[in-house]
Amino acid sequence: MQNSDAMALSAALLAVAGDLTQRIHGGVVARGFTDLRPAHGFAFARLAPDGATVTDLAAHLGVTKQAASQLVEEIVRKGYAERLPHPEDARARLIVLTGRGWACTRAAEEAAAEVVGRWAELLGEGEVCVLRDRLARIAPYGPIRPAW
């Protein structure tokens, strides 16, 4: 692959990632979650499975612990997450999504499905599955973080 081809592929992937982020965020806002930014969604992606500490979240997002702590403070204040005692470390707090946080996560999943559905209309369902599988081989599932 020549440099110009590599740059064209890089530009296309970055454009698709940016467009996907904005469309998911737009879908979340359209579903009533108007007090969030796209960065919150990247945090929710890490918190959704089993919660995380501020340190875990900072590593996931590629930010300082102070920046992650500020983000956590914001989503706790807005009712999307709560701090619980950590089950294995008495010094740490586990940040978990609340019911509102889970509802927002489901809204993001619905918005993502709409975007991918449009891709399937354009490329065909089989091509979208191939694309997903090939991209997963290159970057196996994360971390899902913003390109600050």
mmCIF file of all heavy atoms in Angstrom, residues 37 39-40 43 57 61 66-76:
data_model
loop_
_atom_site.group_PDB
_atom_site.id
_atom_site.type_symbol
_atom_site.label_atom_id
_atom_site.label_comp_id
_atom_site.label_asym_id
_atom_site.label_seq_id
_atom_site.Cartn_x
_atom_site.Cartn_y
_atom_site.Cartn_z
ATOM 1 N N ARG A 37 -22.320 15.340 26.845
ATOM 2 C CA ARG A 37 -21.406 15.538 25.718
ATOM 3 C C ARG A 37 -20.948 14.160 25.240
ATOM 4 O O ARG A 37 -21.058 13.180 25.980
ATOM 5 C CB ARG A 37 -20.186 16.347 26.153
ATOM 6 C CG ARG A 37 -20.491 17.705 26.738
ATOM 7 C CD ARG A 37 -19.210 18.471 27.100
ATOM 8 N NE ARG A 37 -18.172 17.705 27.759
ATOM 9 C CZ ARG A 37 -18.060 17.535 29.077
ATOM 10 N NH1 ARG A 37 -18.967 18.047 29.891
ATOM 11 N NH2 ARG A 37 -17.066 16.842 29.578
ATOM 12 N N ALA A 39 -18.098 12.924 25.210
ATOM 13 C CA ALA A 39 -17.120 12.353 26.150
ATOM 14 C C ALA A 39 -17.798 11.513 27.228
ATOM 15 O O ALA A 39 -17.235 10.504 27.690
ATOM 16 C CB ALA A 39 -16.302 13.464 26.800
ATOM 17 N N HIS A 40 -19.016 11.895 27.614
ATOM 18 C CA HIS A 40 -19.733 11.103 28.626
ATOM 19 C C HIS A 40 -20.006 9.694 28.110
ATOM 20 O O HIS A 40 -19.925 8.720 28.870
ATOM 21 C CB HIS A 40 -21.046 11.789 29.003
ATOM 22 C CG HIS A 40 -20.855 13.090 29.688
ATOM 23 N ND1 HIS A 40 -21.208 14.288 29.117
ATOM 24 C CD2 HIS A 40 -20.345 13.397 30.898
ATOM 25 C CE1 HIS A 40 -20.926 15.269 29.950
ATOM 26 N NE2 HIS A 40 -20.393 14.756 31.040
ATOM 27 N N ALA A 43 -17.152 7.435 28.610
ATOM 28 C CA ALA A 43 -17.068 7.013 30.012
ATOM 29 C C ALA A 43 -18.108 5.941 30.305
ATOM 30 O O ALA A 43 -17.811 4.944 30.965
ATOM 31 C CB ALA A 43 -17.261 8.221 30.933
ATOM 32 N N LEU A 57 -11.139 4.460 34.976
ATOM 33 C CA LEU A 57 -11.760 5.322 33.976
ATOM 34 C C LEU A 57 -10.723 6.233 33.325
ATOM 35 O O LEU A 57 -10.744 6.433 32.115
ATOM 36 C CB LEU A 57 -12.888 6.129 34.614
ATOM 37 C CG LEU A 57 -13.770 6.923 33.663
ATOM 38 C CD1 LEU A 57 -14.434 6.027 32.629
ATOM 39 C CD2 LEU A 57 -14.825 7.683 34.453
ATOM 40 N N LEU A 61 -9.946 6.311 29.334
ATOM 41 C CA LEU A 61 -10.149 7.514 28.528
ATOM 42 C C LEU A 61 -8.841 8.155 28.070
ATOM 43 O O LEU A 61 -8.852 9.021 27.192
ATOM 44 C CB LEU A 61 -10.964 8.549 29.311
ATOM 45 C CG LEU A 61 -12.393 8.159 29.640
ATOM 46 C CD1 LEU A 61 -13.032 9.204 30.544
ATOM 47 C CD2 LEU A 61 -13.207 7.971 28.364
ATOM 48 N N GLN A 66 -7.316 13.379 37.666
ATOM 49 C CA GLN A 66 -8.055 14.597 38.002
ATOM 50 C C GLN A 66 -9.154 14.862 36.979
ATOM 51 O O GLN A 66 -10.286 15.204 37.349
ATOM 52 C CB GLN A 66 -7.103 15.805 38.078
ATOM 53 C CG GLN A 66 -6.137 15.755 39.240
ATOM 54 C CD GLN A 66 -4.908 14.870 38.960
ATOM 55 O OE1 GLN A 66 -4.736 14.311 37.880
ATOM 56 N NE2 GLN A 66 -4.061 14.721 39.969
ATOM 57 N N ALA A 67 -8.835 14.703 35.698
ATOM 58 C CA ALA A 67 -9.845 14.917 34.653
ATOM 59 C C ALA A 67 -10.963 13.884 34.758
ATOM 60 O O ALA A 67 -12.145 14.209 34.632
ATOM 61 C CB ALA A 67 -9.201 14.869 33.268
ATOM 62 N N ALA A 68 -10.592 12.627 35.013
ATOM 63 C CA ALA A 68 -11.608 11.577 35.177
ATOM 64 C C ALA A 68 -12.464 11.851 36.403
ATOM 65 O O ALA A 68 -13.683 11.654 36.371
ATOM 66 C CB ALA A 68 -10.943 10.208 35.283
ATOM 67 N N SER A 69 -11.857 12.338 37.462
ATOM 68 C CA SER A 69 -12.595 12.658 38.678
ATOM 69 C C SER A 69 -13.608 13.774 38.420
ATOM 70 O O SER A 69 -14.742 13.712 38.915
ATOM 71 C CB SER A 69 -11.620 13.064 39.782
ATOM 72 O OG SER A 69 -12.306 13.285 40.980
ATOM 73 N N GLN A 70 -13.230 14.770 37.648
ATOM 74 C CA GLN A 70 -14.155 15.854 37.302
ATOM 75 C C GLN A 70 -15.319 15.324 36.476
ATOM 76 O O GLN A 70 -16.475 15.710 36.691
ATOM 77 C CB GLN A 70 -13.434 16.961 36.545
ATOM 78 C CG GLN A 70 -12.496 17.766 37.404
ATOM 79 C CD GLN A 70 -11.699 18.780 36.608
ATOM 80 O OE1 GLN A 70 -11.646 18.738 35.381
ATOM 81 N NE2 GLN A 70 -11.055 19.696 37.312
ATOM 82 N N LEU A 71 -15.022 14.430 35.527
ATOM 83 C CA LEU A 71 -16.079 13.840 34.706
ATOM 84 C C LEU A 71 -17.031 13.026 35.576
ATOM 85 O O LEU A 71 -18.254 13.124 35.432
ATOM 86 C CB LEU A 71 -15.468 12.978 33.601
ATOM 87 C CG LEU A 71 -16.444 12.381 32.599
ATOM 88 C CD1 LEU A 71 -17.013 13.479 31.695
ATOM 89 C CD2 LEU A 71 -15.754 11.327 31.761
ATOM 90 N N VAL A 72 -16.481 12.244 36.493
ATOM 91 C CA VAL A 72 -17.305 11.450 37.400
ATOM 92 C C VAL A 72 -18.177 12.365 38.250
ATOM 93 O O VAL A 72 -19.379 12.108 38.414
ATOM 94 C CB VAL A 72 -16.440 10.520 38.283
ATOM 95 C CG1 VAL A 72 -17.241 9.959 39.439
ATOM 96 C CG2 VAL A 72 -15.852 9.393 37.441
ATOM 97 N N GLU A 73 -17.604 13.411 38.785
ATOM 98 C CA GLU A 73 -18.381 14.352 39.598
ATOM 99 C C GLU A 73 -19.567 14.889 38.804
ATOM 100 O O GLU A 73 -20.683 14.986 39.315
ATOM 101 C CB GLU A 73 -17.490 15.514 40.076
ATOM 102 C CG GLU A 73 -18.212 16.510 40.950
ATOM 103 C CD GLU A 73 -18.795 15.885 42.208
ATOM 104 O OE1 GLU A 73 -18.157 14.990 42.797
ATOM 105 O OE2 GLU A 73 -19.904 16.297 42.605
ATOM 106 N N GLU A 74 -19.331 15.207 37.538
ATOM 107 C CA GLU A 74 -20.398 15.742 36.685
ATOM 108 C C GLU A 74 -21.504 14.720 36.441
ATOM 109 O O GLU A 74 -22.688 15.037 36.586
ATOM 110 C CB GLU A 74 -19.804 16.210 35.355
ATOM 111 C CG GLU A 74 -20.783 16.882 34.450
ATOM 112 C CD GLU A 74 -20.156 17.362 33.156
ATOM 113 O OE1 GLU A 74 -18.936 17.199 32.952
ATOM 114 O OE2 GLU A 74 -20.909 17.891 32.326
ATOM 115 N N ILE A 75 -21.148 13.484 36.098
ATOM 116 C CA ILE A 75 -22.201 12.503 35.811
ATOM 117 C C ILE A 75 -22.913 12.045 37.072
ATOM 118 O O ILE A 75 -24.083 11.672 37.019
ATOM 119 C CB ILE A 75 -21.691 11.311 34.956
ATOM 120 C CG1 ILE A 75 -20.604 10.526 35.670
ATOM 121 C CG2 ILE A 75 -21.244 11.793 33.581
ATOM 122 C CD1 ILE A 75 -20.144 9.277 34.931
ATOM 123 N N VAL A 76 -22.235 12.082 38.219
ATOM 124 C CA VAL A 76 -22.911 11.783 39.489
ATOM 125 C C VAL A 76 -23.915 12.893 39.798
ATOM 126 O O VAL A 76 -25.063 12.629 40.150
ATOM 127 C CB VAL A 76 -21.887 11.598 40.627
ATOM 128 C CG1 VAL A 76 -22.561 11.637 41.996
ATOM 129 C CG2 VAL A 76 -21.122 10.286 40.452
#
